């Protein structure tokens, strides 16, 4: 496993393969051009249909890779405008998942999704545009029960269902006319990046996989998440989780809680960086239908979710991007899981959970694009 950090450290050996550290230094001159805000956007949800719809809108192996340097004294994060993309749907589990499809030009395809209740637009727009600019097709989708995808009741996370949605997305992407089925990658962040470990383990045909700030071990995260809550808030959250779970057994609607909130509130996550999500993912308040709630039962489910245990079964190249001050997913468990993957590398970035969307975006995007170019290149062009 290769490891790229903000400062060089010695070579180590661990897990089932070698891993090394190489420097990727965050340029302090880079600043985000997006405005700060703390208020949440307007929320809502759409169930979507089952018919396919279409509408126009608006990487060499990474071992030893060093992010390109910039010469300008002040840099701005590049936020490219989306090329034409199509609104498509694919079948999954008796319903349909809504997706944005960005046609590509080089045969490679990146399948993308966000974590917990983060829908496809706030989760993927920034990185999807960068990947598409580099020539890759992108399929960015909503898990069932969220966003524009079908499925009821709404705002309910069911891990096995979401994994099945990824399988369905891979099968659908392989049928697209400009996609080589042997050159498909998966990309997720936070909870969805945890899913990437399981999905990559189940799909040996994948060309590569990217897990950005992944939640790989709910058991390791749970004590930290509890310490971020006040005792009263923790009791109220788990009380609602129990009530929500019991209510689901008799057909009651989900009992929803905010996905993130400040310490002392009853929310799924109240870590110090949990509230960065709004300014990172929706700084311009464009995503007015993004409902930032989740069924409270997730508080009982998450400690048992440990997708990092599948790392040893991953055969494709795996890039794990961690942020060293991440309080929402924790970098340590992700690094530990990556050590067990036969062909993994870890990139360390300074910053908190959402840094890849904020001050570390340029480094994160360039590193990931380089990785994709190495592993999604046509077979004859790949570097051994």
């Amino acid at each position: 496993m290769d490891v790229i950090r903000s400062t060089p450290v010695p070579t180590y050996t661990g897990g089932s393969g070698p891993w090394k550290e190489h420097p990727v230094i965050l340029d302090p001159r880079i600043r985000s051009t997006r405005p700060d805000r703390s208020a949440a956007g307007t929320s809502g949800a759409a169930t979507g249909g089952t018919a396919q719809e279409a509408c126009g809108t608006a990487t060499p192996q990474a071992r030893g890779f060093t992010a390109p340097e910039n010469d300008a004294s002040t840099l701005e994060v590049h936020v490219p405008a989306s090329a034409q993309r199509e609104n498509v749907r694919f079948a999954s589990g008796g319903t349909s998942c809504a997706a944005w499809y960005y046609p590509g030009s080089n045969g490679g395809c990146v399948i993308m999704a966000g974590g917990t209740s983060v829908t496809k637009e706030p989760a993927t727009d920034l990185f999807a545009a960068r990947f598409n600019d580099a020539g890759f097709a992108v399929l960015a989708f909503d898990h069932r029960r969220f966003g524009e995808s079908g499925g009821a009741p709404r705002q309910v996370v069911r891990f096995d269902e979401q994994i099945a949605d990824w399988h369905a997305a891979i099968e659908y992407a392989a049928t697209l006319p400009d996609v080589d089925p042997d050159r498909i990658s998966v990309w997720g962040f936070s909870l969805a990046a945890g899913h990437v470990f399981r999905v990559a383990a189940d799909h040996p045909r994948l060309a590569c996989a990217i897990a950005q700030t992944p939640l790989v071990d709910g058991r390791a995260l749970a004590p930290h998440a509890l310490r971020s809550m006040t005792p009263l808030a923790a009791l109220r959250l788990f009380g609602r989780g129990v009530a929500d779970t019991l209510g689901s057994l008799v057909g009651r609607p989900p009992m929803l809680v905010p996905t993130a909130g400040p310490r002392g509130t009853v929310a799924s996550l109240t870590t110090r960086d949990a509230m960065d999500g709004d300014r990172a993912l929706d700084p311009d308040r464009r995503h007015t239908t993004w409902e930032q709630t989740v069924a409270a039962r997730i508080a009982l489910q998450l400690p048992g979710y440990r997708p990092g245990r599948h790392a040893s079964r991953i055969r494709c190249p795996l890039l794990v991007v961690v942020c060293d001050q991440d309080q929402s997913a924790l970098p340590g468990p992700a690094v530990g899981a990556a050590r067990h993957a036969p062909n993994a590398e870890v990139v360390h970035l300074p910053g908190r959970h959402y840094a890849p969307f904020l001050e570390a975006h340029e480094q994160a995007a360039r590193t990931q694009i380089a990785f994709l170019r190495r592993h999604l290149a046509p077979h004859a062009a790949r570097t051994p």
Side-chain angles (χ1 to χ4, degrees):
M1 179 182 74
D2 291 344
V3 180
I4 303 174
R5 297 182 65 92
S6 56
T7 55
V9 300
T11 299
Y12 299 87
T13 301
S16 55
W19 57 288
K20 295 178 278 188
E21 301 234 10
H22 305 284
V24 170
I25 301 173
L26 178 64
D27 192 327
R29 299 171 296 167
I30 291 182
R31 60 181 176 84
S32 172
T33 60
R34 294 178 178 270
D36 257 3
R37 70 184 183 92
S38 58
T42 305
S43 61
T47 59
T50 57
Q52 180 167 322
E53 301 169 359
C55 64
T57 71
T59 184
Q61 194 173 357
R63 188 164 286 146
F65 172 76
T66 301
E69 295 183 357
N70 297 279
D71 296 328
S73 58
T74 300
L75 304 177
E76 294 185 351
V77 172
H78 174 49
V79 184
S82 296
Q84 182 174 356
R85 61 185 186 180
E86 302 170 3
N87 192 338
V88 300
R89 306 189 76 88
F90 56 88
S92 183
T95 185
S96 66
C97 291
W100 284 116
Y101 175 58
Y102 302 69
S105 60
N106 63 15
C109 180
V110 186
I111 299 172
M112 308 178 71
T116 316
S117 65
V118 185
T119 52
K120 59 187 181 299
E121 292 84 8
T124 69
D125 276 3
L126 189 62
F127 281 90
R130 297 295 295 268
F131 297 160
N132 192 237
D133 280 354
F136 302 107
V138 173
L139 183 70
F141 74 95
D142 287 327
H143 295 109
R144 74 183 82 170
R145 305 182 191 276
F146 290 91
E148 295 179 323
S149 289
R154 308 297 295 174
Q155 305 304 113
V156 175
V157 172
R158 294 179 179 170
F159 301 128
D160 288 345
E161 285 186 350
Q162 295 194 349
I163 296 297
D165 294 342
W166 281 92
H167 296 333
I170 292 169
E171 293 176 4
Y172 175 73
T175 69
L176 294 168
D178 59 342
V179 173
D180 181 343
D182 291 318
R183 294 163 61 199
I184 292 175
S185 177
V186 290
W187 180 102
F189 91 93
S190 199
L191 179 59
H195 295 342
V196 161
F197 278 73
R198 169 76 180 276
V199 172
D202 291 345
H203 284 270
R205 192 179 180 182
L206 285 174
C208 62
I210 299 175
Q212 179 173 287
T213 59
L215 196 165
V216 300
D217 191 341
R219 183 181 298 177
L221 178 63
H224 174 77
L226 278 174
R227 287 192 297 269
S228 73
M229 302 177 185
T230 62
L232 179 58
L235 285 173
R236 293 175 64 192
L237 174 63
F238 281 91
R240 292 187 186 183
V242 170
D244 183 41
T245 301
L246 294 176
S248 70
L249 300 178
V250 295
R252 291 180 180 173
M255 184 174 291
L256 304 181
V257 296
T259 308
R263 178 177 169 83
T265 62
V266 180
S268 175
L269 197 63
T270 59
T271 51
R272 284 180 290 176
D273 53 3
M275 296 301 290
D276 293 345
D278 211 41
R279 68 186 180 93
L281 304 179
D282 192 17
D284 302 323
R285 305 186 185 188
R286 294 184 298 112
H287 306 306
T288 57
T289 60
W290 174 22
E291 184 171 347
Q292 300 182 54
T293 61
V294 66
R297 68 194 75 168
I298 196 171
L300 308 182
Q301 299 168 332
L302 199 58
Y305 189 55
R306 308 181 72 192
R309 293 180 298 175
H310 298 278
S312 63
R313 297 195 295 113
I314 299 174
R315 293 294 174 261
C316 69
L318 171 68
L319 177 64
V320 180
V321 179
V322 299
C323 294
D324 287 333
Q325 289 76 46
D326 189 342
Q327 298 295 306
S328 293
L330 300 181
V335 174
R339 288 176 180 159
H340 296 285
N343 191 11
E345 57 185 288
V346 172
V347 172
H348 286 254
L349 294 174
R352 308 202 298 183
H353 188 61
Y354 292 98
F357 295 91
L358 296 167
E359 72 275 9
H361 174 66
E362 196 62 28
Q363 277 70 22
R366 292 182 185 184
T367 302
Q368 292 175 33
I369 290 169
F371 178 82
L372 293 171
R373 284 175 171 158
R374 292 179 184 273
H375 298 297
L376 293 188
H379 292 288
R382 295 183 190 177
T383 302

